PDB file of all heavy atoms in Angstrom:
ATOM      1  N   LEU A  28     120.520  26.728-191.866  1.00 97.00           N
ATOM      2  CA  LEU A  28     121.541  27.750-191.593  1.00 97.00           C
ATOM      3  C   LEU A  28     122.799  27.089-191.028  1.00 97.00           C
ATOM      4  O   LEU A  28     123.926  27.453-191.383  1.00 97.00           O
ATOM      5  CB  LEU A  28     121.011  28.794-190.603  1.00 97.00           C
ATOM      6  CG  LEU A  28     119.931  29.744-191.116  1.00 97.00           C
ATOM      7  CD1 LEU A  28     119.522  30.727-190.029  1.00 97.00           C
ATOM      8  CD2 LEU A  28     120.424  30.502-192.354  1.00 97.00           C
ATOM      9  N   ALA A  29     122.587  26.097-190.161  1.00 96.00           N
ATOM     10  CA  ALA A  29     123.734  25.401-189.559  1.00 96.00           C
ATOM     11  C   ALA A  29     124.598  24.762-190.646  1.00 96.00           C
ATOM     12  O   ALA A  29     125.825  24.781-190.567  1.00 96.00           O
ATOM     13  CB  ALA A  29     123.250  24.348-188.558  1.00 96.00           C
ATOM     14  N   ALA A  30     123.941  24.245-191.678  1.00 93.00           N
ATOM     15  CA  ALA A  30     124.683  23.632-192.783  1.00 93.00           C
ATOM     16  C   ALA A  30     125.537  24.671-193.511  1.00 93.00           C
ATOM     17  O   ALA A  30     126.558  24.342-194.113  1.00 93.00           O
ATOM     18  CB  ALA A  30     123.710  22.978-193.762  1.00 93.00           C
ATOM     19  N   ALA A  31     125.112  25.939-193.427  1.00 94.00           N
ATOM     20  CA  ALA A  31     125.885  27.017-194.037  1.00 94.00           C
ATOM     21  C   ALA A  31     126.845  27.634-193.016  1.00 94.00           C
ATOM     22  O   ALA A  31     127.450  28.673-193.278  1.00 94.00           O
ATOM     23  CB  ALA A  31     124.945  28.077-194.603  1.00 94.00           C
ATOM     24  N   GLY A  32     126.964  26.995-191.855  1.00 95.00           N
ATOM     25  CA  GLY A  32     127.880  27.478-190.818  1.00 95.00           C
ATOM     26  C   GLY A  32     127.370  28.695-190.071  1.00 95.00           C
ATOM     27  O   GLY A  32     128.148  29.447-189.500  1.00 95.00           O
ATOM     28  N   ILE A  33     126.039  28.884-190.087  1.00 97.00           N
ATOM     29  CA  ILE A  33     125.454  30.059-189.414  1.00 97.00           C
ATOM     30  C   ILE A  33     124.602  29.597-188.237  1.00 97.00           C
ATOM     31  O   ILE A  33     123.657  28.816-188.410  1.00 97.00           O
ATOM     32  CB  ILE A  33     124.594  30.875-190.410  1.00 97.00           C
ATOM     33  CG1 ILE A  33     125.474  31.396-191.548  1.00 97.00           C
ATOM     34  CG2 ILE A  33     123.870  32.025-189.697  1.00 97.00           C
ATOM     35  CD1 ILE A  33     124.681  31.964-192.726  1.00 97.00           C
ATOM     36  N   VAL A  34     124.941  30.069-187.043  1.00 98.00           N
ATOM     37  CA  VAL A  34     124.194  29.697-185.834  1.00 98.00           C
ATOM     38  C   VAL A  34     123.771  30.964-185.089  1.00 98.00           C
ATOM     39  O   VAL A  34     124.620  31.717-184.619  1.00 98.00           O
ATOM     40  CB  VAL A  34     125.067  28.806-184.898  1.00 98.00           C
ATOM     41  CG1 VAL A  34     124.253  28.374-183.686  1.00 98.00           C
ATOM     42  CG2 VAL A  34     125.611  27.599-185.647  1.00 98.00           C
ATOM     43  N   PRO A  35     122.462  31.238-185.016  1.00 97.00           N
ATOM     44  CA  PRO A  35     121.998  32.425-184.276  1.00 97.00           C
ATOM     45  C   PRO A  35     122.403  32.334-182.806  1.00 97.00           C
ATOM     46  O   PRO A  35     122.432  31.251-182.220  1.00 97.00           O
ATOM     47  CB  PRO A  35     120.472  32.364-184.429  1.00 97.00           C
ATOM     48  CG  PRO A  35     120.243  31.537-185.656  1.00 97.00           C
ATOM     49  CD  PRO A  35     121.362  30.523-185.666  1.00 97.00           C
ATOM     50  N   ASN A  36     122.703  33.489-182.224  1.00 97.00           N
ATOM     51  CA  ASN A  36     123.140  33.522-180.819  1.00 97.00           C
ATOM     52  C   ASN A  36     122.003  33.334-179.832  1.00 97.00           C
ATOM     53  O   ASN A  36     122.234  33.007-178.674  1.00 97.00           O
ATOM     54  CB  ASN A  36     123.817  34.861-180.506  1.00 97.00           C
ATOM     55  CG  ASN A  36     125.134  35.006-181.250  1.00 97.00           C
ATOM     56  OD1 ASN A  36     125.758  34.008-181.603  1.00 97.00           O
ATOM     57  ND2 ASN A  36     125.547  36.236-181.506  1.00 97.00           N
ATOM     58  N   GLU A  37     120.791  33.606-180.260  1.00 95.00           N
ATOM     59  CA  GLU A  37     119.662  33.533-179.329  1.00 95.00           C
ATOM     60  C   GLU A  37     118.431  32.984-180.031  1.00 95.00           C
ATOM     61  O   GLU A  37     118.324  33.044-181.249  1.00 95.00           O
ATOM     62  CB  GLU A  37     119.323  34.936-178.810  1.00 95.00           C
ATOM     63  CG  GLU A  37     120.247  35.404-177.711  1.00 95.00           C
ATOM     64  CD  GLU A  37     120.140  36.895-177.508  1.00 95.00           C
ATOM     65  OE1 GLU A  37     120.695  37.640-178.331  1.00 95.00           O
ATOM     66  OE2 GLU A  37     119.480  37.299-176.533  1.00 95.00           O
ATOM     67  N   ASN A  38     117.492  32.500-179.222  1.00 94.00           N
ATOM     68  CA  ASN A  38     116.195  32.100-179.736  1.00 94.00           C
ATOM     69  C   ASN A  38     115.233  33.279-179.541  1.00 94.00           C
ATOM     70  O   ASN A  38     115.066  33.744-178.422  1.00 94.00           O
ATOM     71  CB  ASN A  38     115.701  30.875-178.966  1.00 94.00           C
ATOM     72  CG  ASN A  38     114.367  30.369-179.494  1.00 94.00           C
ATOM     73  OD1 ASN A  38     113.531  31.152-179.962  1.00 94.00           O
ATOM     74  ND2 ASN A  38     114.168  29.075-179.420  1.00 94.00           N
ATOM     75  N   PRO A  39     114.615  33.762-180.653  1.00 92.00           N
ATOM     76  CA  PRO A  39     113.772  34.959-180.548  1.00 92.00           C
ATOM     77  C   PRO A  39     112.588  34.753-179.602  1.00 92.00           C
ATOM     78  O   PRO A  39     112.070  35.700-179.013  1.00 92.00           O
ATOM     79  CB  PRO A  39     113.281  35.178-181.985  1.00 92.00           C
ATOM     80  CG  PRO A  39     113.468  33.870-182.675  1.00 92.00           C
ATOM     81  CD  PRO A  39     114.630  33.209-182.015  1.00 92.00           C
ATOM     82  N   GLU A  40     112.153  33.490-179.453  1.00 90.00           N
ATOM     83  CA  GLU A  40     111.031  33.162-178.575  1.00 90.00           C
ATOM     84  C   GLU A  40     111.378  33.549-177.138  1.00 90.00           C
ATOM     85  O   GLU A  40     110.552  34.056-176.388  1.00 90.00           O
ATOM     86  CB  GLU A  40     110.783  31.648-178.647  1.00 90.00           C
ATOM     87  CG  GLU A  40     109.366  31.221-178.822  1.00 90.00           C
ATOM     88  CD  GLU A  40     108.768  31.540-180.193  1.00 90.00           C
ATOM     89  OE1 GLU A  40     109.181  30.937-181.214  1.00 90.00           O
ATOM     90  OE2 GLU A  40     107.883  32.391-180.223  1.00 90.00           O
ATOM     91  N   ALA A  41     112.633  33.307-176.761  1.00 91.00           N
ATOM     92  CA  ALA A  41     113.071  33.557-175.393  1.00 91.00           C
ATOM     93  C   ALA A  41     113.578  34.986-175.196  1.00 91.00           C
ATOM     94  O   ALA A  41     113.342  35.584-174.155  1.00 91.00           O
ATOM     95  CB  ALA A  41     114.165  32.552-175.024  1.00 91.00           C
ATOM     96  N   SER A  42     114.254  35.528-176.202  1.00 91.00           N
ATOM     97  CA  SER A  42     114.977  36.788-175.957  1.00 91.00           C
ATOM     98  C   SER A  42     114.169  38.055-176.217  1.00 91.00           C
ATOM     99  O   SER A  42     114.501  39.105-175.695  1.00 91.00           O
ATOM    100  CB  SER A  42     116.241  36.824-176.798  1.00 91.00           C
ATOM    101  OG  SER A  42     115.941  37.223-178.112  1.00 91.00           O
ATOM    102  N   ARG A  43     113.151  37.973-177.058  1.00 92.00           N
ATOM    103  CA  ARG A  43     112.361  39.149-177.459  1.00 92.00           C
ATOM    104  C   ARG A  43     113.164  40.162-178.269  1.00 92.00           C
ATOM    105  O   ARG A  43     112.661  41.244-178.592  1.00 92.00           O
ATOM    106  CB  ARG A  43     111.746  39.872-176.258  1.00 92.00           C
ATOM    107  CG  ARG A  43     110.675  39.058-175.577  1.00 92.00           C
ATOM    108  CD  ARG A  43     110.283  39.666-174.265  1.00 92.00           C
ATOM    109  NE  ARG A  43     109.028  39.094-173.806  1.00 92.00           N
ATOM    110  CZ  ARG A  43     107.864  39.717-173.868  1.00 92.00           C
ATOM    111  NH1 ARG A  43     107.782  40.916-174.375  1.00 92.00           N
ATOM    112  NH2 ARG A  43     106.777  39.128-173.425  1.00 92.00           N
ATOM    113  N   LYS A  44     114.405  39.843-178.565  1.00 94.00           N
ATOM    114  CA  LYS A  44     115.201  40.749-179.394  1.00 94.00           C
ATOM    115  C   LYS A  44     114.751  40.639-180.832  1.00 94.00           C
ATOM    116  O   LYS A  44     114.390  39.555-181.291  1.00 94.00           O
ATOM    117  CB  LYS A  44     116.677  40.345-179.326  1.00 94.00           C
ATOM    118  CG  LYS A  44     117.398  40.934-178.147  1.00 94.00           C
ATOM    119  CD  LYS A  44     118.893  40.840-178.374  1.00 94.00           C
ATOM    120  CE  LYS A  44     119.634  41.167-177.111  1.00 94.00           C
ATOM    121  NZ  LYS A  44     121.020  40.717-177.175  1.00 94.00           N
ATOM    122  N   LEU A  45     114.802  41.734-181.576  1.00 96.00           N
ATOM    123  CA  LEU A  45     114.384  41.723-182.978  1.00 96.00           C
ATOM    124  C   LEU A  45     115.569  41.634-183.925  1.00 96.00           C
ATOM    125  O   LEU A  45     115.417  41.300-185.093  1.00 96.00           O
ATOM    126  CB  LEU A  45     113.536  42.963-183.281  1.00 96.00           C
ATOM    127  CG  LEU A  45     112.242  43.040-182.454  1.00 96.00           C
ATOM    128  CD1 LEU A  45     111.499  44.339-182.734  1.00 96.00           C
ATOM    129  CD2 LEU A  45     111.346  41.840-182.709  1.00 96.00           C
ATOM    130  N   ILE A  46     116.751  41.950-183.418  1.00 98.00           N
ATOM    131  CA  ILE A  46     117.967  41.753-184.220  1.00 98.00           C
ATOM    132  C   ILE A  46     118.851  40.802-183.439  1.00 98.00           C
ATOM    133  O   ILE A  46     119.201  41.056-182.290  1.00 98.00           O
ATOM    134  CB  ILE A  46     118.714  43.078-184.481  1.00 98.00           C
ATOM    135  CG1 ILE A  46     117.797  44.051-185.236  1.00 98.00           C
ATOM    136  CG2 ILE A  46     119.994  42.815-185.277  1.00 98.00           C
ATOM    137  CD1 ILE A  46     118.456  45.379-185.578  1.00 98.00           C
ATOM    138  N   ILE A  47     119.157  39.671-184.070  1.00 98.00           N
ATOM    139  CA  ILE A  47     119.894  38.611-183.384  1.00 98.00           C
ATOM    140  C   ILE A  47     121.218  38.385-184.114  1.00 98.00           C
ATOM    141  O   ILE A  47     121.226  38.174-185.329  1.00 98.00           O
ATOM    142  CB  ILE A  47     119.058  37.319-183.365  1.00 98.00           C
ATOM    143  CG1 ILE A  47     117.774  37.560-182.545  1.00 98.00           C
ATOM    144  CG2 ILE A  47     119.831  36.156-182.783  1.00 98.00           C
ATOM    145  CD1 ILE A  47     116.873  36.359-182.481  1.00 98.00           C
ATOM    146  N   GLY A  48     122.292  38.430-183.358  1.00 98.00           N
ATOM    147  CA  GLY A  48     123.595  38.152-183.946  1.00 98.00           C
ATOM    148  C   GLY A  48     123.763  36.656-184.188  1.00 98.00           C
ATOM    149  O   GLY A  48     122.943  35.847-183.743  1.00 98.00           O
ATOM    150  N   THR A  49     124.813  36.306-184.902  1.00 98.00           N
ATOM    151  CA  THR A  49     125.100  34.886-185.124  1.00 98.00           C
ATOM    152  C   THR A  49     126.572  34.645-184.767  1.00 98.00           C
ATOM    153  O   THR A  49     127.284  35.575-184.403  1.00 98.00           O
ATOM    154  CB  THR A  49     124.873  34.481-186.606  1.00 98.00           C
ATOM    155  OG1 THR A  49     125.892  35.072-187.414  1.00 98.00           O
ATOM    156  CG2 THR A  49     123.498  34.917-187.091  1.00 98.00           C
ATOM    157  N   ASN A  50     126.994  33.395-184.900  1.00 97.00           N
ATOM    158  CA  ASN A  50     128.401  33.059-184.670  1.00 97.00           C
ATOM    159  C   ASN A  50     129.319  33.756-185.667  1.00 97.00           C
ATOM    160  O   ASN A  50     130.514  33.808-185.470  1.00 97.00           O
ATOM    161  CB  ASN A  50     128.579  31.538-184.761  1.00 97.00           C
ATOM    162  CG  ASN A  50     128.206  31.010-186.136  1.00 97.00           C
ATOM    163  OD1 ASN A  50     127.233  31.478-186.744  1.00 97.00           O
ATOM    164  ND2 ASN A  50     128.956  30.064-186.648  1.00 97.00           N
ATOM    165  N   ARG A  51     128.737  34.285-186.751  1.00 97.00           N
ATOM    166  CA  ARG A  51     129.552  35.001-187.753  1.00 97.00           C
ATOM    167  C   ARG A  51     129.341  36.507-187.614  1.00 97.00           C
ATOM    168  O   ARG A  51     128.209  36.976-187.593  1.00 97.00           O
ATOM    169  CB  ARG A  51     129.149  34.542-189.157  1.00 97.00           C
ATOM    170  CG  ARG A  51     129.859  33.264-189.578  1.00 97.00           C
ATOM    171  CD  ARG A  51     129.399  32.801-190.927  1.00 97.00           C
ATOM    172  NE  ARG A  51     129.567  33.820-191.959  1.00 97.00           N
ATOM    173  CZ  ARG A  51     129.405  33.585-193.261  1.00 97.00           C
ATOM    174  NH1 ARG A  51     129.083  32.369-193.676  1.00 97.00           N
ATOM    175  NH2 ARG A  51     129.556  34.549-194.132  1.00 97.00           N
ATOM    176  N   ASP A  52     130.434  37.243-187.555  1.00 97.00           N
ATOM    177  CA  ASP A  52     130.362  38.707-187.400  1.00 97.00           C
ATOM    178  C   ASP A  52     129.646  39.364-188.573  1.00 97.00           C
ATOM    179  O   ASP A  52     129.115  40.466-188.434  1.00 97.00           O
ATOM    180  CB  ASP A  52     131.775  39.303-187.317  1.00 97.00           C
ATOM    181  CG  ASP A  52     132.419  39.004-185.975  1.00 97.00           C
ATOM    182  OD1 ASP A  52     131.674  38.659-185.029  1.00 97.00           O
ATOM    183  OD2 ASP A  52     133.654  39.098-185.886  1.00 97.00           O
ATOM    184  N   ASP A  53     129.666  38.700-189.738  1.00 97.00           N
ATOM    185  CA  ASP A  53     129.122  39.332-190.940  1.00 97.00           C
ATOM    186  C   ASP A  53     127.707  38.823-191.283  1.00 97.00           C
ATOM    187  O   ASP A  53     127.226  39.029-192.393  1.00 97.00           O
ATOM    188  CB  ASP A  53     130.073  39.133-192.132  1.00 97.00           C
ATOM    189  CG  ASP A  53     130.357  37.659-192.408  1.00 97.00           C
ATOM    190  OD1 ASP A  53     129.928  36.794-191.582  1.00 97.00           O
ATOM    191  OD2 ASP A  53     130.998  37.348-193.432  1.00 97.00           O
ATOM    192  N   VAL A  54     127.051  38.127-190.355  1.00 98.00           N
ATOM    193  CA  VAL A  54     125.685  37.647-190.601  1.00 98.00           C
ATOM    194  C   VAL A  54     124.806  37.959-189.389  1.00 98.00           C
ATOM    195  O   VAL A  54     125.176  37.657-188.256  1.00 98.00           O
ATOM    196  CB  VAL A  54     125.643  36.117-190.852  1.00 98.00           C
ATOM    197  CG1 VAL A  54     124.212  35.664-191.139  1.00 98.00           C
ATOM    198  CG2 VAL A  54     126.555  35.717-192.014  1.00 98.00           C
ATOM    199  N   ARG A  55     123.640  38.579-189.639  1.00 98.00           N
ATOM    200  CA  ARG A  55     122.686  38.806-188.555  1.00 98.00           C
ATOM    201  C   ARG A  55     121.287  38.408-189.016  1.00 98.00           C
ATOM    202  O   ARG A  55     121.018  38.309-190.221  1.00 98.00           O
ATOM    203  CB  ARG A  55     122.711  40.261-188.093  1.00 98.00           C
ATOM    204  CG  ARG A  55     122.254  41.215-189.169  1.00 98.00           C
ATOM    205  CD  ARG A  55     122.200  42.642-188.655  1.00 98.00           C
ATOM    206  NE  ARG A  55     121.645  43.508-189.694  1.00 98.00           N
ATOM    207  CZ  ARG A  55     121.332  44.775-189.526  1.00 98.00           C
ATOM    208  NH1 ARG A  55     121.522  45.367-188.361  1.00 98.00           N
ATOM    209  NH2 ARG A  55     120.828  45.478-190.513  1.00 98.00           N
ATOM    210  N   VAL A  56     120.415  38.180-188.053  1.00 98.00           N
ATOM    211  CA  VAL A  56     119.043  37.770-188.345  1.00 98.00           C
ATOM    212  C   VAL A  56     118.106  38.857-187.824  1.00 98.00           C
ATOM    213  O   VAL A  56     118.294  39.341-186.701  1.00 98.00           O
ATOM    214  CB  VAL A  56     118.736  36.414-187.663  1.00 98.00           C
ATOM    215  CG1 VAL A  56     117.261  36.053-187.790  1.00 98.00           C
ATOM    216  CG2 VAL A  56     119.606  35.307-188.256  1.00 98.00           C
TER     217      VAL A  56
END
Side-chain angles (χ1 to χ4, degrees):
L28 290 181
I33 298 168
V34 183
N36 292 335
E37 281 164 284
N38 182 328
E40 227 70 68
S42 81
R43 292 169 165 256
K44 275 197 191 163
L45 299 176
I46 300 182
I47 296 179
T49 70
N50 61 321
R51 276 177 56 170
D52 286 342
D53 57 353
V54 181
R55 64 176 185 173
V56 172

